[in-house]
Amino acid sequence: MKDKIRHAWKLLRRRPASLVGFGLIAFFFAVAAAAPLIAPPEKNSRDAYLIPQDGYSPDPVRPSAKHLFGTTEQQYDLYYGMVWGTRTAFRVAVVVVASSLTVGILIGGAAGFYGGWVDELMMRFTDIVLAFPDLILAVVIVTVTKPSLSNVMLSVAAVSWPSYARLLRGDVLSIKERDFVSAARALGASDFRILSRHIIPNCIYPLLVVASLSMGRIVITAAALSFLGLGAPVGYADWGQLISLSRNWLLGSNGNPFEYWHTVFIPGFAIFFFVLGWNLLGDAVRDILDPRQK
Amino acid sequence: MLKIAALILLALAACSKRQASKGFDPDTYNYLTFNDADSLDPQYEYDSASEMVIHNIYEQLFWFEGGSTEKMTPLLATKVPSRENGLISADGRTYTIPIRKGVKFHDGSEMTPEDVRYSLMRAMLSDREAGPASLLMQPLLGYPATRDDKGKLNLNAYKDAARAVTVEADNVVLRLPKPFAPMLSILAAVPNACVVPKKWLAAHGDWDGTEANWAKFNNPQKQTSPIYEQADGTGPFKLVRWDRATKETVLERNDGYWRAPAKLKRIVIKSVDEFNARKLALQAGDADSIYADREVRSQVDNIPGVVVLDDLPTMEMNPMLYFTFHMNAQGNPYTGSGKLDGDGIPEDFFSDIEVRKGFAYAFDYEGFIRDVDRNKAIQATGFVPYSLPGHNPDQKKYEYDPGKAAEHFKKAFGGQVWEKGFRFTMLFNTSNQPRQSLCQILKHGIEALNPKFRIDVRPIDWPAFLDAQQAHKLPVFILGWNADYPDAHNFAFPIMHSKGMYPFDQHYANAEADKLIDAAVYESNPAKRKKLYARVQEIEYEDVPNLVIHDGTRLRVQRDWVKGFVPNPIYCDPPYGTCFYTIYKSTATEAAGK
Amino acid sequence: MTRFILKRLAFLPLVMLAVTMLLFAILQFLTPEMRAALYVKDPRQLASVEQIIDKYGLRDPVYMQWGRWVVQVAHGDLGYSETAKMPVADAIRAFFPATLELSILSFIPILILGVAFGTLSAVYKDKWLDQLTRLVAITGYSLPSFVLGLLLLMIFYGQFHIFPPGRYSLDVDLLVHSDAFRHYTGLLSLDCLLNGEFNAYLDVTKHLILPAATLIYIDLALLLRITRSSMLEELGKDYIRTAKAKGVPGPVIVRKHALKNALIPVVTLSSLIFITLLGGVVITETVFDFPGIGRWGVVAAQQLDIAGVLGSTLLASGLFVVANLVSDILYAVVDPRIRVN
């Protein structure tokens, strides 16, 4: 195990890009972990994710000592929102990837393992979900289940699992025929045991590679839903929503087009670097886990 | 790559050249707004975007003079009926309306009294679901709909309507079952009283005006009306095109108009969702006026060549907060535990007047007007806005007073509210900033009183809001009221009468208010009516069934060459919904200055 | 081959039917009041929501509503989209050409740049060109389209006052809808040229540039990556090494041997990219206020305009099935070793 880690570290060091990715995610993780310290919630606040407001005036205010990143429209403190929004971003990424991966494994695994009509049924269902324009399906799901952060996660997971299912099914199909599986079956192992002990562990790596690569995409999709006004309630620390608050202020004031630059640039670049971090890290994971790609 | 760059540069150069060459065009008026019409059939539509277009194509019998909400001038009629000129009978139940001659529809046919009769009948008998038909049916027939609660058609409706509206010589005569004070107001302001061409409509497959056929055209589908996307009115402008893909309406001058033709030749009304795009078009001079919310006021200041007309009157009460006296407790996610145990509210929480008064004193009215209205509003004193007769500036109003608020909360539910606290959810419809701020300011005021008082503020989208509101699940709800016609009755009934829209949803009833409102609508003496409405507003203050927040104003953003705008809050969605007849474009004063 | 194509095409209506069933299954969760919200345009109508529910049959169970819809479609009527304010068929005719135009304008550069730079990047592995290409790819892949779109708008529209959002300016709008203007192809920029309206053509192009640039930058990344890795794999194969050893010049190897084989996954991916573009690029169209299929679909979805959602998703899912088919056929054409069955 130690060797493996050392090997991974060596690979990581050889690719500076991966190091950058690692650094970015580590940075965001540190911000998320330290949120209560670097952006302490107001004393009477019941939910730390609610961004404090300094008055209700519609005009954004530029960064100052009082508000490090300035305020958005309706005076939400952008710094506070960015810091706590980091936690939201991690939560969305991890929950969505984990849940869509689970669904993908269940459906793809069952389809590949049992074959026959189970396979046919599950794969046709997968095809149908794939044929759906995913953002529109996600919007329908969120609208029907009422907009909220958890429903955004649900809807993004609902449109992301099919690619995992397809991938896993293919791998299961090929591994199923191998000798060690037949041997286990001959020894009378149960279906569940064969699947969980022999098949899944042997085809999980490509899946993990794809999962780590899709982390960034998922964050973008969730942020896009927030941007359309379907995410967390206004004032909840969420990057996608913070950037949508900037839409009316893009042109700045008259004579100074960059008067309200902070409302676009800060949340915009945070999303960008967060996704970039995952993508670079995903590349690294692929290099480590998937030797074929080297 | 280089080629592409070169091409882009070329395109850039060409664009900038074109932009510079664009000049001032006195004939075409471009208005950029944020919503598109729903239907151009005056007797179907019930939204301000449609009304704006319709008011320029079709005409009514009367119209309001200048900026007045009281004084009328005849349009397709030749006289405004009154008791003095004898055209309103002594009992106030018969209106004789002489119809103008020589007015032509856009198709060239002559407008006759029969067209007027047909139009009023069609407005009542087509009666589309949730439409405006009741506005005419209530005064003319005495009942508000052609169908009962189960959707069964009242077959007598045609006979009743034919009895109420008749043609006698060159007059149209209206016979009301009871006197109805705002009758003329309704005829002048409500677009479904616009006159449409009977022959043209019948020839294009719409109702032919006969009793045999009316039921077929009752509760129609929007798109089946021949004047859904076409138009044939008598007004100063003709419809050229309504393009629903690009959300734009093009009108051109009606040169055969019965008054002097309009000054503008062509009008383009286009819906552009993004505020930035509207602003840039205005800045470049491509748009002559644009829609801008109060929220973005700071962004339209100081643009060269652009003027902002502010402090324009409105005819609305928006937003208002309504308390639900008895909530539906079943599966209600908004009332917490559903008990008065500090973690919820019981279903009759707001039926205790001390609770309502506590809320009324805990809202920072001044703060709202400062931050949300940018000080361009005054605190409302009752449900009648200041632009209408019946408004009483001396009516007592609630002030932000945490001390008094606490006092009332301490008395509520025998002191239990204060002792145990409460928690519930307050909703506002998504992306409505003033309503959001209202919730937050109220939450702030309430929670500062007692740490056990908790309000969760949440946005909700329209479908979910409708669902909860229809099921009486919302502890409080925030909505506005935009008037159909300028009369205190149009506010008093929906806001204070137990059969009105809001009290019905709130389960609020005050017998005295009902009696006063019923009496006021039959009363013909304006001074007496004013007194009756003043008393209803007193009751509103005493009972606090709702919180009136502010009397707002609106702003109009236009190029400085736009002249002739008449601010009148009756124009749909004022002041953006312009009647273009009086408007013209001129740079004359600038030239003189040079 | 023909049989395969026919079989797959026969599958198309089934997929579409299943898509609508799935959609209606989701709608099962809505109450009649929520479905009625689409028709309530003004708070003044709140008192009569019941009437709306009755008129549109919104209280009926979802399978009945679905059945009604299917019968209606069988009669050639796709229904009426309340958000587009026109019949669904008309809405598709109105919005699809705009999306098609944007898709073509974005897809061609994506294909050319993607294949060219992807190949170069593989050939010059780890050189500066490769590093640069990979940087472009990874940043493009990491940028949300709304962030890029807003930034572009802020700079090119807010600061320099060029490249406005929308599909055309007001004066071009009047021109395009005048009687004199003939619609030959439905593609507006092309039609402008055919009508001899060069200024209008420039205007239309000007409106297309920012959304196209956004799409190009973001979707280029995928194609770059796939081309590069597929090319690398091919270049590492034995026959290439043999050719090299035999002294065949590098460019010839790349052009004549490696590229052809490496293009197989590229073909599949690019047909998928084109189809996703055609299905409507929701966010980009929304940010740039561009009247295409995607924006219509998402507005319909947000307002629960069921007919509108069905219309736009049927179009997108139909295209998806066709695209898969086309890519399979292309696969067989490019690589004769693969036989379709």
Side-chain angles (χ1 to χ4, degrees):
Chain A
M1 191 64 205
K2 232 181 181 177
D3 278 358
K4 262 189 186 167
I5 293 173
R6 198 171 298 150
H7 178 66
W9 178 239
K10 238 169 91 187
L11 279 172
L12 211 59
R13 260 203 342 215
R14 242 191 284 154
R15 294 193 47 185
S18 313
L19 264 186
V20 171
F22 191 75
L24 280 171
I25 295 304
F27 167 75
F28 281 117
F29 190 80
V31 170
L37 294 176
I38 54 181
E42 284 180 329
K43 258 184 223 143
N44 57 356
S45 165
R46 284 198 301 282
D47 185 348
Y49 286 94
L50 296 179
I51 312 171
Q53 255 174 310
D54 190 2
Y56 304 94
S57 155
D59 303 346
V61 177
R62 300 182 74 166
S64 64
K66 192 173 168 209
H67 300 288
L68 275 182
F69 292 170
T71 61
T72 65
E73 65 182 21
Q74 294 195 294
Q75 309 313 313
Y76 290 106
D77 183 69
L78 195 52
Y79 169 76
Y80 188 94
M82 293 313 300
V83 170
W84 285 86
T86 316
R87 286 191 167 197
T88 311
F90 272 107
R91 183 151 46 119
V92 170
V94 171
V95 169
V96 171
V97 171
S99 50
S100 51
L101 209 52
T102 312
V103 176
I105 288 174
L106 286 178
I107 291 194
F113 185 71
Y114 292 106
W117 67 269
V118 178
D119 184 24
E120 197 63 27
L121 191 77
M122 298 213 165
M123 283 302 113
R124 289 300 80 80
F125 181 59
T126 312
D127 284 346
I128 288 160
V129 178
L130 268 180
F132 235 103
D134 47 0
L135 205 56
I136 292 188
L137 180 59
V139 169
V140 169
I141 295 176
V142 180
T143 316
V144 167
T145 54
K146 291 171 191 172
S148 73
L149 194 65
S150 47
N151 287 336
V152 163
M153 294 196 272
L154 172 87
S155 72
V156 180
V159 296
S160 343
W161 62 267
S163 51
Y164 302 139
R166 266 198 170 177
L167 186 72
L168 188 74
R169 171 182 172 269
D171 286 352
V172 169
L173 273 181
S174 69
I175 287 175
K176 184 165 85 163
E177 305 305 328
R178 300 238 189 110
D179 292 345
F180 63 91
V181 177
S182 321
R185 189 164 288 155
L187 288 173
S190 68
D191 283 359
F192 178 75
R193 196 180 163 82
I194 296 176
L195 203 56
S196 62
R197 284 292 167 88
H198 300 286
I199 295 185
I200 300 285
N202 275 298
C203 45
I204 197 79
Y205 283 139
L207 208 59
L208 286 183
V209 170
V210 174
S212 67
L213 278 172
S214 59
M215 210 83 163
R217 281 278 107 183
I218 277 165
V219 173
I220 288 183
T221 310
L225 288 174
S226 277
F227 178 75
L228 290 172
L230 290 168
V234 187
Y236 192 91
D238 170 64
W239 293 344
Q241 193 202 109
L242 284 173
I243 195 165
S244 78
L245 288 182
S246 76
R247 266 172 98 172
N248 275 342
W249 308 93
L250 279 184
L251 296 179
S253 66
N254 303 303
N256 184 3
F258 293 108
E259 166 98 41
Y260 305 115
W261 64 273
H262 63 281
T263 60
V264 187
F265 273 74
I266 294 175
F269 277 98
I271 298 178
F272 170 65
F273 283 118
F274 188 75
V275 176
L276 184 68
W278 282 113
N279 284 340
L280 291 171
L281 210 61
D283 279 352
V285 170
R286 183 185 57 190
D287 288 354
I288 293 162
L289 291 183
D290 191 359
R292 279 175 302 176
Q293 286 283 337
K294 248 189 284 178
Chain B
M1 197 67 184
L2 268 176
K3 262 187 202 163
I4 293 172
L7 267 177
I8 291 176
L9 280 179
L10 203 74
L12 278 183
C15 301
S16 45
K17 234 187 246 163
R18 271 190 70 250
Q19 221 153 31
S21 69
K22 195 172 293 172
F24 163 78
D25 174 4
D27 293 330
T28 302
Y29 190 98
N30 288 306
Y31 171 55
L32 302 187
T33 177
F34 73 110
N35 57 356
D36 193 24
D38 186 38
S39 162
L40 298 187
D41 184 339
Q43 277 124 28
Y44 185 94
E45 63 72 35
Y46 201 20
D47 67 292
S48 52
S50 309
E51 283 167 22
M52 174 168 75
V53 178
I54 285 166
H55 273 315
N56 287 291
I57 301 176
Y58 294 94
E59 286 176 307
Q60 279 147 300
L61 295 167
F62 325 105
W63 194 238
F64 291 92
E65 221 172 274
S68 171
T69 55
E70 292 172 83
K71 195 156 185 288
M72 285 177 217
T73 175
L75 219 52
L76 292 182
T78 54
K79 274 181 196 156
V80 179
S82 66
R83 272 162 221 269
E84 291 73 44
N85 65 16
L87 295 177
I88 299 181
S89 64
D91 63 359
R93 287 176 49 200
T94 308
Y95 288 66
T96 307
I97 305 167
I99 304 300
R100 190 176 296 279
K101 282 183 185 161
V103 175
K104 286 202 166 92
F105 285 109
H106 297 159
D107 68 349
S109 64
E110 178 130 354
M111 192 268 309
T112 63
E114 177 55 27
D115 288 313
V116 178
R117 188 185 84 102
Y118 171 82
S119 303
L120 294 177
M121 300 268 287
R122 187 175 183 267
M124 294 187 279
L125 297 178
S126 65
D127 187 21
R128 69 109 158 176
E129 90 296 341
S134 66
L135 291 170
L136 282 171
M137 290 177 80
Q138 189 65 53
L140 285 173
L141 309 187
Y143 50 86
T146 55
R147 296 174 303 275
D148 65 12
D149 290 344
K150 294 198 182 79
K152 204 169 155 278
L153 202 59
N154 170 6
L155 292 171
N156 290 324
Y158 178 87
K159 285 200 183 70
D160 292 341
R163 204 176 297 132
V165 186
T166 52
V167 173
E168 287 170 21
D170 291 336
N171 304 319
V172 167
V173 179
L174 307 180
R175 291 194 175 79
L176 283 56
K178 280 182 186 174
F180 200 85
M183 186 71 235
L184 288 178
S185 238
I186 292 174
L187 289 174
V190 174
N192 64 340
C194 279
V195 178
V196 295
K198 177 182 177 182
K199 272 192 202 130
W200 192 91
L201 275 167
H204 286 77
D206 205 75
W207 183 42
D208 57 4
T210 61
E211 181 172 11
N213 280 332
W214 79 273
K216 253 199 313 201
F217 295 94
N218 182 263
N219 200 8
Q221 294 285 338
K222 177 164 76 179
Q223 60 273 28
T224 55
S225 163
I227 46 173
Y228 160 55
E229 53 173 332
Q230 299 183 57
D232 184 21
T234 59
F237 293 95
K238 298 184 202 180
L239 179 72
V240 177
R241 178 167 59 82
W242 175 29
D243 187 335
R244 283 150 292 153
T246 53
K247 298 187 192 170
E248 97 188 328
T249 314
V250 181
L251 308 178
E252 72 181 5
R253 179 163 68 199
N254 171 14
D255 288 317
Y257 187 47
W258 59 273
R259 289 190 279 181
K263 290 161 189 132
L264 294 167
K265 241 187 209 154
R266 190 205 297 273
I267 288 158
V268 182
I269 301 165
K270 189 172 166 68
S271 169
V272 176
D273 297 342
E274 199 72 29
F275 165 71
N276 293 306
R278 298 199 294 266
K279 177 184 161 184
L280 227 78
L282 180 77
Q283 217 166 339
D286 290 342
D288 297 292
S289 58
I290 61 165
Y291 173 87
D293 275 326
R294 176 71 64 198
E295 284 105 274
V296 293
R297 166 72 213 250
S298 58
Q299 292 219 58
V300 289
D301 280 335
N302 308 319
I303 307 178
V306 170
V307 290
V308 180
L309 311 177
D310 209 331
D311 296 309
L312 299 170
T314 66
M315 206 172 62
E316 61 178 7
M317 267 295 148
N318 185 12
M320 272 179 81
L321 181 139
Y322 303 87
F323 299 109
T324 308
F325 285 45
H326 289 276
M327 286 162 262
N328 179 352
Q330 228 174 10
N332 192 333
Y334 309 116
T335 52
S337 66
K339 289 185 225 97
L340 195 57
D341 56 2
D343 202 34
I345 50 171
E347 57 187 64
D348 58 351
F349 185 64
F350 288 106
S351 64
D352 188 328
I353 188 158
E354 303 296 342
V355 173
R356 301 199 299 274
K357 281 193 174 160
F359 272 82
Y361 281 117
F363 184 75
D364 183 2
Y365 302 89
E366 269 173 39
F368 183 88
I369 287 166
R370 182 188 62 237
D371 282 345
V372 180
D373 290 323
R374 299 175 187 266
N375 282 324
K376 292 285 185 188
I378 50 166
Q379 191 183 336
T381 57
F383 57 79
V384 183
Y386 72 109
S387 57
L388 289 190
H391 174 73
N392 179 10
D394 303 324
Q395 168 64 44
K396 268 200 281 180
K397 56 191 178 202
Y398 288 93
E399 305 279 339
Y400 178 44
D401 187 337
K404 276 192 186 156
E407 227 171 82
H408 285 288
F409 275 119
K410 278 174 188 156
K411 284 188 262 177
F413 282 85
Q416 283 193 67
V417 168
W418 189 260
E419 192 185 308
K420 291 185 176 150
F422 62 82
R423 176 178 195 165
F424 71 93
T425 307
M426 196 152 64
L427 302 165
F428 64 93
N429 43 327
T430 311
S431 78
N432 188 318
Q433 283 194 22
R435 292 180 191 176
Q436 184 191 347
S437 298
L438 191 163
C439 291
Q440 284 161 331
I441 294 172
L442 187 56
K443 169 192 163 89
H444 189 84
I446 294 283
E447 290 186 347
L449 295 174
N450 182 335
K452 289 180 191 155
F453 290 2
R454 288 185 296 170
I455 297 179
D456 298 313
V457 171
R458 275 192 21 210
I460 185 169
D461 61 341
W462 188 231
F465 178 84
L466 210 59
D467 188 42
Q469 198 260 357
Q470 293 284 312
H472 303 282
K473 281 183 180 167
L474 302 175
V476 301
F477 54 93
I478 299 164
L479 281 171
W481 179 255
N482 287 42
D484 296 299
Y485 52 90
D487 191 281
H489 178 70
N490 194 239
F491 285 88
F493 193 81
I495 295 174
M496 288 299 289
H497 195 287
S498 62
K499 287 195 182 121
M501 187 169 103
Y502 291 122
F504 176 80
D505 285 333
Q506 294 169 270
H507 296 293
Y508 163 68
N510 180 309
E512 192 196 349
D514 286 5
K515 234 189 256 164
L516 291 165
I517 293 168
D518 288 339
V521 77
Y522 302 129
E523 176 59 58
S524 56
N525 182 331
K528 278 188 194 157
R529 289 190 76 205
K530 212 171 166 176
K531 257 190 207 149
L532 293 170
Y533 288 123
R535 175 63 197 137
V536 184
Q537 290 175 80
E538 260 174 49
I539 296 176
E540 190 188 26
Y541 176 81
E542 289 157 10
D543 275 1
V544 218
N546 54 50
L547 298 186
V548 286
I549 311 291
H550 70 167
D551 254 339
T553 56
R554 292 237 177 154
L555 55 131
R556 178 184 167 88
V557 185
Q558 61 179 29
R559 296 295 305 194
D560 53 10
W561 58 57
V562 176
K563 307 280 154 65
F565 170 68
V566 181
N568 187 325
I570 294 156
Y571 298 148
C572 39
D573 203 13
Y576 320 109
T578 319
C579 283
F580 291 102
Y581 181 61
T582 57
I583 291 202
Y584 61 99
K585 287 164 73 175
S586 159
T587 48
T589 47
E590 277 178 22
K594 281 170 199 165
Chain C
M1 185 76 170
T2 326
R3 248 192 83 199
F4 164 76
I5 295 174
L6 285 177
K7 210 175 122 197
R8 289 283 292 270
L9 280 178
F11 188 56
L12 181 70
L14 280 180
V15 170
M16 292 174 117
L17 204 64
V19 163
T20 65
M21 278 171 76
L22 179 64
L23 204 61
F24 272 94
I26 297 170
L27 296 174
Q28 182 90 51
F29 294 102
L30 292 175
T31 63
E33 284 79 11
M34 289 172 83
R35 283 179 218 143
L38 175 65
Y39 303 98
V40 182
K41 309 238 151 74
D42 195 295
R44 292 179 295 192
Q45 294 172 289
L46 281 178
S48 14
V49 172
E50 284 298 304
Q51 295 178 23
I52 291 173
I53 294 174
D54 286 345
K55 179 170 174 183
Y56 296 96
L58 302 175
R59 210 185 306 282
D60 299 340
V62 168
Y63 64 86
M64 262 175 78
Q65 299 189 34
W66 181 72
R68 262 206 310 263
W69 184 82
V70 170
V71 170
Q72 192 190 336
V73 171
H75 285 90
D77 178 9
L78 282 171
Y80 186 85
S81 166
E82 196 60 38
T83 49
K85 291 172 186 162
M86 55 183 118
V88 169
D90 290 354
I92 291 175
R93 267 195 293 276
F95 298 124
F96 190 61
T99 299
L100 183 64
E101 196 166 19
L102 179 59
S103 306
I104 294 175
L105 196 74
S106 329
F107 182 66
I108 294 172
I110 290 177
L111 195 62
I112 296 173
L113 295 174
V115 171
F117 283 90
T119 312
L120 286 175
S121 173
V123 173
Y124 298 103
K125 187 168 181 265
D126 293 335
K127 302 276 165 38
W128 67 269
L129 186 68
D130 180 33
Q131 306 283 16
L132 187 71
T133 310
R134 281 162 66 194
L135 186 72
V136 168
I138 196 92
T139 49
Y141 195 64
S142 309
L143 256 179
S145 48
F146 53 90
V147 173
L148 180 58
L150 289 180
L151 288 178
L152 288 177
L153 269 183
M154 193 168 168
I155 295 165
F156 288 98
Y157 180 53
Q159 173 70 33
F160 296 116
H161 299 272
I162 40 173
F163 302 146
R167 201 174 175 205
Y168 35 61
S169 319
L170 287 171
D171 47 343
V172 173
D173 178 69
L174 293 178
L175 171 84
V176 166
H177 287 94
S178 64
D179 293 334
F181 192 89
R182 302 272 299 274
H183 295 266
Y184 299 97
T185 59
L187 300 179
L188 208 54
S189 50
L190 209 57
D191 283 349
C192 285
L193 282 181
L194 291 175
N195 278 281
E197 295 286 352
F198 191 66
N199 277 343
Y201 165 75
L202 279 182
D203 183 78
V204 171
T205 314
K206 195 169 79 171
H207 284 81
L208 281 167
I209 283 177
L210 285 192
T214 309
L215 293 174
I216 291 169
Y217 189 31
I218 286 170
D219 283 346
L220 181 62
L222 275 175
L223 207 62
L224 277 177
R225 290 174 80 141
I226 293 290
T227 314
R228 180 178 179 273
S229 65
S230 153
M231 194 69 196
L232 276 179
E233 200 179 323
E234 210 55 42
L235 285 176
K237 281 193 179 155
D238 292 343
Y239 75 99
I240 298 283
R241 289 206 193 121
T242 320
K244 257 189 194 157
K246 279 187 177 165
V248 182
V252 177
I253 294 180
V254 172
R255 251 185 295 135
K256 290 232 161 142
H257 303 283
L259 193 57
K260 201 178 154 204
N261 287 329
L263 276 188
I264 295 167
V266 174
V267 166
T268 319
L269 184 75
S270 51
S271 65
L272 270 179
I273 289 181
F274 188 57
I275 273 343
T276 349
L277 289 174
L278 276 187
V281 272
V282 172
I283 298 291
T284 309
E285 287 180 1
T286 306
V287 169
F288 292 103
D289 201 20
F290 192 82
I293 285 282
R295 201 183 63 158
W296 171 48
V298 80
V299 170
Q302 274 180 288
Q303 298 189 17
L304 298 174
D305 169 12
I306 297 166
V309 176
L310 285 169
S312 62
T313 46
L314 279 188
L315 182 75
S317 56
L319 283 170
F320 181 81
V321 173
V322 172
N324 269 333
L325 178 62
V326 170
S327 83
D328 284 354
I329 296 170
L330 282 178
Y331 231 96
V333 172
V334 176
D335 186 355
R337 283 171 303 178
I338 297 171
R339 261 209 249 135
V340 290
N341 51 30

